[in-house]
Amino acid sequence: MNLIQHSILWLIGFAGGIAVGSGFVAFITVLDILPRLLQMTKSQDYIRWYEFAIVLGVLVFTLVDFFDWVLFGFTWLTLLIGLFMGLFIGMLAGALTEVVNVIPILSRRLKMQHYLFQLILAMAIGKTIGSLFQWMFY
């Protein structure tokens, strides 16, 4: 490849990264994840740490994906990373359902208002079992 082709590929990749990053930030902003998380944990003084953690996580895992880094022999570290990734995805899913009001609408349509706790528990257990099944067998 010559310099022009490399430059075009770099420009397309950079533009794609900007588009995906902007979408991610817009999604996080629309769902009010950080303000809601700060409110729930009563840790408004640590907002910079939350922002830093999100930016660092995105940056590190982008590099991991680009360079195909593999952790050998660090099972405990992999478990810790998986735990934090699961917590983030869980909070993201919780924020999305809170914004869209999925659970109250679902409980009303299924006439399960009195069983709301069991419905949420069943959804969480189902998601956990499905994730474990995917990780263990695929």
Side-chain angles (χ1 to χ4, degrees):
M1 281 193 190
N2 61 19
L3 183 62
I4 294 174
Q5 289 174 329
H6 278 291
S7 298
I8 291 172
L9 285 175
W10 184 88
L11 184 63
I12 290 171
F14 186 73
I18 293 292
V20 170
S22 299
F24 176 73
V25 169
F27 190 64
I28 296 285
T29 304
V30 165
L31 292 179
D32 280 338
I33 288 183
L34 276 182
R36 184 79 175 122
L37 187 60
L38 292 169
Q39 180 185 20
M40 291 177 70
T41 59
K42 295 177 178 58
S43 58
Q44 288 85 357
D45 296 337
Y46 299 103
I47 187 167
R48 294 287 179 213
W49 285 96
Y50 284 94
E51 292 171 350
F52 180 71
I54 290 174
V55 170
L56 186 65
V58 169
L59 181 64
V60 166
F61 284 102
T62 299
L63 294 174
V64 166
D65 187 39
F66 277 168
F67 298 114
D68 292 325
W69 291 344
V70 178
L71 293 173
F72 292 109
F74 293 104
T75 306
W76 60 271
L77 184 59
T78 306
L79 290 172
L80 187 65
I81 291 170
L83 174 70
F84 283 120
M85 290 171 72
L87 286 171
F88 177 74
I89 295 299
M91 285 189 294
L92 193 65
L96 185 58
T97 56
E98 187 174 314
V99 167
V100 184
N101 290 328
V102 169
I103 295 175
I105 293 170
L106 182 65
S107 69
R108 264 184 269 138
R109 289 201 178 161
L110 295 176
K111 296 181 178 141
M112 296 182 67
Q113 293 94 338
H114 302 293
Y115 304 103
L116 192 57
F117 177 74
Q118 289 86 350
L119 177 65
I120 293 171
L121 189 62
M123 291 169 62
I125 290 171
K127 178 66 177 164
T128 302
I129 291 171
S131 296
L132 287 173
F133 183 79
Q134 179 186 2
W135 280 96
M136 294 170 94
F137 299 111
Y138 287 104

